[in-house]
Amino acid sequence: MFSSSVGHDYAIAIQELNKEMESVFGEPPANELASSVSNNCVNSKSQLSSQNIGESAFELTHTGNSGEAQMVDVSPKENSNRTAIAVCKVNLGKKVFDLVLANQMAKGDVLTVAKIAGLTAAKQTSNLIPLCHNISLTHVQVDLRLNHEDFSVTIEGEAASTGKTGVEMEAMTAVSVAGLTVYDMCKAASKDITITDIRLKHKSGGKSGDHWWGQR
């Protein structure tokens, strides 16, 4: 509202100046003068708008000054022990759940194959997520648990490293790919399988320290 008011006042002032000069010289001012004054008005409005946007916006760490994607420079950070735990859920339905429980799926042992897939995925995270750093993992664990009450599989993945950046994406990639593998192993028996609730459960290390989300 402030910048709009300033622009309106400038426009009125320009009109009055044009009329006064026309009455004195018998003709309106040259186009260059009017254009220059008008451009100054537009620039002032633009600067005010930019200032307002800059004050209200927050800085994104994965974009450069002109908005292009970039990898964050973590070299100034201190090394620390970092861990992350992520979870997800695969809803199978009773028919598929019973087949998985009895290890009778045509493709083989669903839980074991999904576990290996999750472990492999964690180590490939930087190849899958463009702006993730290629870090050295010291530990990866993926566990799958069958839930009889709702015919689902709960997947939990943990990743750890000692370094300058966190391992949240490694843990979340592990459970995501493990969930997709469960789907792939079971899709011939049902197309109603869903993968839900992929989320970070815990992280530790770094400047932000130790945090839990939801139940431990």
Side-chain angles (χ1 to χ4, degrees):
M1 291 178 65
F2 176 70
S3 60
S4 176
S5 175
V6 171
H8 181 68
D9 292 343
Y10 267 101
I12 294 175
I14 291 170
Q15 292 176 0
E16 293 177 350
L17 179 62
N18 287 342
K19 290 179 181 179
E20 184 175 347
M21 294 184 70
E22 186 173 2
S23 65
V24 174
F25 298 105
E27 59 183 6
N31 290 336
E32 292 79 7
L33 175 61
S35 177
S36 175
V37 175
S38 177
N39 286 337
N40 287 337
C41 171
V42 172
N43 290 337
S44 297
K45 290 171 65 180
S46 177
Q47 290 173 1
L48 284 167
S49 299
S50 297
Q51 289 173 356
N52 291 337
I53 293 173
E55 290 171 359
S56 61
F58 58 88
E59 183 179 356
L60 297 175
T61 59
H62 283 62
T63 59
N65 293 332
S66 59
E68 78 282 3
Q70 66 176 5
M71 182 177 283
V72 175
D73 182 5
V74 298
S75 56
K77 293 186 177 182
E78 296 292 333
N79 285 330
S80 68
N81 295 324
R82 299 169 183 268
T83 63
I85 299 174
V87 293
C88 83
K89 187 175 184 179
V90 184
N91 298 302
L92 300 174
K94 188 177 188 312
K95 172 188 173 183
V96 177
F97 182 89
D98 289 342
L99 290 172
V100 173
L101 181 64
N103 196 14
Q104 293 181 351
M105 294 301 302
K107 285 191 173 184
D109 187 344
V110 174
L111 302 185
T112 299
V113 175
K115 180 185 182 75
I116 295 172
L119 294 170
T120 303
K123 295 184 288 184
Q124 296 295 321
T125 300
S126 63
N127 293 328
L128 299 171
I129 312 297
L131 300 184
C132 279
H133 292 82
N134 185 2
I135 63 177
S136 178
L137 294 171
T138 58
H139 172 71
V140 180
Q141 182 172 331
V142 177
D143 294 314
L144 295 91
R145 184 181 71 252
L146 291 170
N147 303 310
H148 293 262
E149 62 275 10
D150 60 359
F151 310 115
S152 67
V153 182
T154 296
I155 305 174
E156 181 171 288
E158 180 177 1
S161 74
T162 300
K164 297 175 180 292
T165 189
V167 288
E168 295 94 327
M169 294 308 301
E170 283 71 17
M172 294 186 72
T173 299
V175 299
S176 299
V177 173
L180 288 169
T181 303
V182 170
Y183 186 97
D184 177 65
M185 296 285 289
C186 301
K187 67 180 186 292
S190 174
K191 296 296 188 293
D192 296 325
I193 301 167
T194 59
I195 304 171
T196 65
D197 302 325
I198 300 172
R199 64 181 179 87
L200 185 65
K201 181 178 180 180
H202 172 251
K203 73 170 291 291
S204 66
K207 185 182 295 185
S208 59
D210 194 58
H211 293 278
W212 285 91
W213 292 270
Q215 294 182 342
R216 298 193 179 190

